[in-house]
Amino acid sequence: DVFLDIGSGDGGLVLAASLLYAPSPEDEGGTAREENSIAKAYGVEIVPGLVERSNVHWSNLRRVLDQSSLGRHSANVEFALGDVHEPNEDIRRILAEATVAVCFATTWSAGNADLESNKGRTSLQGRRLPRLSKALVALRRGCRVVIIDGRLDDSDGFEWEGDLRVICPDTAPYSMASLYTRQ
């Protein structure tokens, strides 16, 4: 898989995914483990300072892994500065490559106001994210998408698969993770 965190902040989720789901060179039976692994992990972030911080964290993780005798490794990682709403060539490439994407939509509410249909209210008042939904049309067909505290539009080619209630102190009392497949 190719993992993508949209609005990756300081890169923590990208680095965790790259480390926890890295393809191992060989399992105990001598064959390469490919199932449920992440070959590449991307983070896309609009704030330059957070992309810089992400790259520092990635550099630190690589150094620790290189010095470790545990034999741990990670998937390839790349952080990109950009906006999925107005993607440059690099962001379009990343969106087209992703097979698994996640977005914590709790931070996207103000930028997703749909003035006509919501009469100026933010889209999380109904948890709809029309601008994000339209931007993610660039994801490849079959891409699995998890949106935390938001909803994509079926009309943009996203099939809703289900919800998972996540108890989270940062978004008390809970957050809702919605799973979609890009059609």
Side-chain angles (χ1 to χ4, degrees):
D1 277 315
V2 176
F3 178 82
L4 168 60
D5 184 2
I6 301 161
S8 58
D10 66 3
L13 185 59
V14 174
L15 296 176
S18 77
L19 185 60
L20 293 172
Y21 296 100
S24 57
E26 291 187 0
D27 66 14
E28 292 178 17
T31 59
R33 179 186 69 128
E34 296 297 327
E35 189 175 325
N36 298 321
S37 65
I38 294 174
K40 181 90 177 184
Y42 289 105
V44 171
E45 176 57 55
I46 197 168
V47 178
L50 290 175
V51 174
E52 291 170 19
R53 191 180 313 167
S54 297
N55 283 315
V56 168
H57 293 326
W58 172 224
S59 177
N60 290 339
L61 176 60
R62 278 195 320 250
R63 188 180 68 253
V64 168
L65 292 174
D66 288 346
Q67 295 171 357
S68 171
S69 61
L70 298 175
R72 296 287 299 177
H73 63 282
S74 70
N76 292 325
V77 172
E78 181 181 331
F79 293 101
L81 177 64
D83 184 349
V84 295
H85 295 114
E86 297 176 17
N88 59 28
E89 184 177 320
D90 197 31
I91 302 303
R92 283 192 296 275
R93 174 187 56 83
I94 291 169
L95 289 168
E97 194 177 333
T99 60
V100 176
V102 66
C103 178
F104 281 80
T106 53
T107 60
W108 291 68
S109 60
N112 269 279
D114 182 344
L115 299 179
E116 288 187 30
S117 64
N118 289 328
K119 297 180 177 66
R121 297 173 299 186
T122 60
S123 58
L124 284 182
Q125 294 172 321
R127 300 167 23 104
R128 299 269 176 228
L129 299 169
R131 287 189 64 222
L132 181 62
S133 188
K134 286 186 186 348
L136 295 186
V137 168
L139 291 169
R140 68 170 48 197
R141 294 190 188 284
C143 181
R144 292 153 293 159
V145 184
V146 177
I147 303 294
I148 310 295
D149 290 336
R151 293 268 186 221
L152 298 179
D153 290 336
D154 294 346
S155 64
D156 289 327
F158 294 97
E159 183 178 340
W160 176 77
E161 304 286 345
D163 289 328
L164 174 67
R165 182 183 258 188
V166 180
I167 306 301
C168 179
D170 294 334
T171 57
Y174 65 89
S175 284
M176 190 67 71
S178 299
L179 175 63
Y180 296 87
T181 301
R182 172 76 175 98
Q183 299 300 302

